[in-house]
Amino acid sequence: MRRYRELAPTARTIMTPGPVEVDPRVLRAMASPILGQFDPEFTEMMNETMAMLRELFQTANHQAFPVDGTSRSGIEAVLVSLIEPGDKVLVPIYGRFGHLLAEISERCGANVVVMEQEWGKVFDPEQVIEKMKLERPDIVALVHGETSTGRMQPLRDIGRACRELGSLFVVDAVATIGGADVRVDEWMFDAVIGGTQKCLSVPAGMAPITFNERAEEKIHRRKNVERGIRDASVDRNGSGVIIRSNYFDLSQLMDYWGPRRLNHHTEATSMLYALREGLRITLEEGLQERFGRHKLHERALLAGLEAMGLKLFGDAGCKLPVVTCVQIPEGIDGDAVIRMLLQEFKVEIATSFGPLKGKIWRIGTMGYSCSQKNVLTVLGALEAVLIRHKAKVDAGRALQAALDVYVEARSSMIYV
């Protein structure tokens, strides 16, 4: 019989756009004893998690809870629950994950209208608003922070236009929640999906979502309680087309997370512990302080990369603060650099997808991975590996430029 060695993953410095390093306090929380999902102690943790999610999303929405599954599960739950066959869905695409929103919408039976922007740029909000006025979509679905290109789309004006035109506004904030400002109520988002494995520094496995009464009204029209647990005196089928997924049916998940605690699935107990602790840590730091920390380490990383002589990718005016994209120098095998960083320095960065695959590196500064130690480590390691690959770099300058940013921040009493 084959025997397997004890699990002992290598410690890495993870500087990708996700997943990132998990806060040790979150890992400790995951080792806590299991409680039954209807144990009053556990349901109180569910209530606390919902309350903290409202603070994180900066919303007064009643509906704020996680979907069990990776971030994509939250996206799919929102879209499959909101889109009825034949609904018109407008998806402005400026990277890989815009294409994902369009594909899932198509699978839900939507009449999908797309508009595309060159990768590395975002849309002028007026472009999107004019398209909305022309198409009059039922739903507009947009990515806030596009990790494939390292860009962040301005959304405030688009949210206001959706409200004026009667369209529901669905926002993928997987990459930005907990690392950049996401003002759900002020910017008039109707449904928002976050991620755990990025700026919250929680393992992948839950997708925090929130949605308002406008979205809730449409979901309620499609409600169909599972037959095996239906109460004939209380539960009535909705008037809309039944939601095609059982697992991702938000009408049923609302009953599960709400006062009824109507059984839907067996809760991922340890993941809920992790999310609760990750949210507690985020709110303890303070949202504005946390956003400032991410901006500081972004500045240091940018200073180091530019001092090294590397060229950044994309429009700087719409840069995503938690992901930095670097053009791979001509003649350099980008994948070979990534492999050497991992093998020799235990540092992980990423390439990209589609038209950018093999053309850029993506370096994440997210959550627990977003630290001075990690920024200096990735800069030093990248410089050393590029020199080994005969790249033309300005040796010795990267770390000094980054250190200048940190010294100045300390002298200005900015959080380091």
Side-chain angles (χ1 to χ4, degrees), residues 125 128-129 132 140 142 154-169 171 184-190 214:
V128 178
I129 293 168
M132 289 168 55
V140 176
L142 242 174
L155 297 177
R156 182 198 300 264
D157 292 343
I158 298 171
R160 185 183 304 111
C162 283
R163 195 63 55 89
E164 291 170 354
L165 294 171
S167 302
L168 290 175
F169 192 21
V171 174
V184 170
D185 289 356
E186 183 179 333
W187 296 346
M188 300 184 183
F189 301 164
D190 294 301
R214 298 176 78 235

Side-chain angles (χ1 to χ4, degrees), residues 71-278:
S71 301
R72 190 173 299 213
S73 74
I75 295 171
E76 189 146 340
V78 167
L79 292 177
V80 76
S81 297
L82 286 177
I83 297 172
E84 294 185 84
D87 278 353
K88 182 179 285 190
V89 179
L90 174 63
V91 184
I93 298 171
Y94 62 104
R96 174 192 172 182
F97 294 102
H99 284 290
L100 176 64
L101 294 178
E103 180 175 324
I104 294 174
S105 297
E106 288 170 355
R107 288 171 181 254
C108 294
N111 170 17
V112 178
V113 178
V114 302
M115 48 191 302
E116 296 194 44
Q117 177 60 280
E118 177 186 346
W119 288 30
K121 299 180 180 179
V122 297
F123 295 93
D124 182 329
E126 281 303 317
Q127 291 178 274
V128 178
I129 293 168
E130 286 304 312
K131 189 71 169 177
M132 289 168 55
K133 290 177 179 177
L134 177 67
E135 297 290 345
R136 297 286 171 164
D138 299 287
I139 296 169
V140 176
L142 242 174
V143 176
H144 185 210
E146 179 58 78
T147 54
S148 66
T149 65
R151 302 304 109 187
M152 187 164 69
Q153 174 68 50
L155 297 177
R156 182 198 300 264
D157 292 343
I158 298 171
R160 185 183 304 111
C162 283
R163 195 63 55 89
E164 291 170 354
L165 294 171
S167 302
L168 290 175
F169 192 21
V170 174
V171 174
D172 170 352
V174 169
T176 49
I177 199 70
D181 222 354
V182 180
R183 302 186 186 187
V184 170
D185 289 356
E186 183 179 333
W187 296 346
M188 300 184 183
F189 301 164
D190 294 301
V192 189
I193 305 98
T196 57
Q197 77 280 15
K198 297 182 186 285
C199 297
L200 292 181
S201 288
V202 172
M206 277 193 163
I209 66 170
T210 185
F211 51 96
N212 62 17
E213 291 179 354
R214 298 176 78 235
E216 190 174 344
E217 181 183 359
K218 186 168 188 181
I219 294 166
H220 270 305
R221 289 202 305 267
R222 309 182 67 194
K223 185 170 184 174
N224 187 73
V225 177
E226 192 177 316
R227 280 192 291 270
I229 57 175
R230 186 181 299 163
D231 182 341
S233 65
V234 175
D235 298 313
R236 299 283 189 272
N237 289 351
S239 59
V241 177
I242 187 173
I243 294 168
R244 295 302 183 187
S245 173
N246 176 291
Y247 189 74
F248 294 138
D249 184 337
L250 292 184
S251 72
Q252 295 191 62
L253 287 172
M254 282 191 281
D255 278 338
Y256 175 71
W257 281 88
R260 290 183 73 186
R261 301 294 181 197
L262 193 59
N263 193 19
H264 178 261
H265 63 282
T266 303
E267 190 51 65
T269 312
S270 297
M271 273 305 306
L272 189 74
Y273 295 164
L275 176 59
R276 183 193 177 281
E277 182 65 3

Side-chain angles (χ1 to χ4, degrees), residues 2 29-30 42-43 50 82 111 117 137 155 165 181 209 214 236 240 256 290 332 371 387 399 407:
R2 180 180 175 184
M30 295 183 76
F42 187 74
T43 56
M50 289 188 284
L82 286 177
N111 170 17
Q117 177 60 280
L155 297 177
L165 294 171
D181 222 354
I209 66 170
R214 298 176 78 235
R236 299 283 189 272
Y256 175 71
R290 195 173 181 89
I332 298 299
S371 68
I387 290 172
L399 290 176
V407 169

Side-chain angles (χ1 to χ4, degrees), residues 357-395:
K357 183 173 175 58
K359 296 182 179 180
I360 65 171
W361 293 307
R362 297 179 301 143
I363 303 173
T365 43
M366 292 178 157
Y368 191 75
S369 288
C370 182
S371 68
Q372 178 174 335
K373 175 184 76 68
N374 281 10
V375 169
L376 296 179
T377 297
V378 75
L379 286 171
L382 182 59
E383 178 184 293
V385 171
L386 286 174
I387 290 172
R388 298 287 290 188
H389 281 77
K390 311 298 183 187
K392 294 180 180 179
V393 297
D394 295 320

Side-chain angles (χ1 to χ4, degrees), residues 328-329 332-335 351-361:
I328 298 173
I332 298 299
D333 183 337
D335 289 340
T351 184
S352 192
F353 313 100
L356 296 180
K357 183 173 175 58
K359 296 182 179 180
I360 65 171
W361 293 307

